[in-house]
Amino acid sequence: MIIGVGIDVVDVARFMATLERTPALRERLFTEAERDLPPASIAARFAAKEAIAKALGAPGGMRWHDATVHRVEGGAPVVEIRGTVQARADELGIVTFHLSISHDAGIASAMVVAEG
């Protein structure tokens, strides 16, 4: 059963300019596994985290580090959750996140379906 859906779009250049203006933001938003990705990929990770939050109903108090998006060679990206994100997913009965990310022409996007 589908419990939530989320989508987000990020302008890659504008997002990277924000990270350059506020260097601490990179550490606050991304886990170690995500921080050093190329610009389009890191913007897509941000879009994915926003989409995950929307699929969870965008509750306050969720921590950015409690969701990590992993690359899978030849397959769809995988969402790893813990802490505040896991607690909200458990509360809603979500057992799986289906994630699709894309980046082209300076835009990064992500779409999430949360399934119970």
Side-chain angles (χ1 to χ4, degrees):
M1 173 172 78
I2 295 175
I3 296 173
V5 176
I7 189 168
D8 198 62
V9 178
V10 175
D11 179 294
V12 176
R14 191 170 85 190
F15 184 71
M16 295 311 293
T18 299
L19 291 182
E20 288 174 24
R21 274 193 316 274
T22 314
L25 191 58
R26 185 181 296 256
E27 286 188 25
R28 193 170 76 210
L29 296 176
F30 301 103
T31 63
E32 271 189 60
E34 299 168 320
R35 285 185 199 136
D36 296 323
L37 293 170
S41 293
I42 202 165
R45 294 313 184 276
F46 179 75
K49 290 178 184 217
E50 283 283 321
I52 291 165
K54 290 172 183 175
L56 293 171
M62 288 197 323
R63 293 182 20 203
W64 291 99
H65 281 227
D66 287 346
T68 303
V69 177
H70 296 284
R71 289 180 176 180
V72 175
E73 191 66 36
V78 173
V79 177
E80 175 190 355
I81 60 172
R82 64 196 148 282
T84 58
V85 177
Q86 182 72 59
R88 179 63 175 166
D90 291 346
E91 179 182 321
L92 296 173
I94 296 168
V95 295
T96 303
F97 287 98
H98 303 279
L99 170 63
S100 179
I101 59 177
S102 184
H103 40 79
D104 189 31
I107 300 294
S109 61
M111 195 271 193
V112 171
V113 175
E115 184 178 14

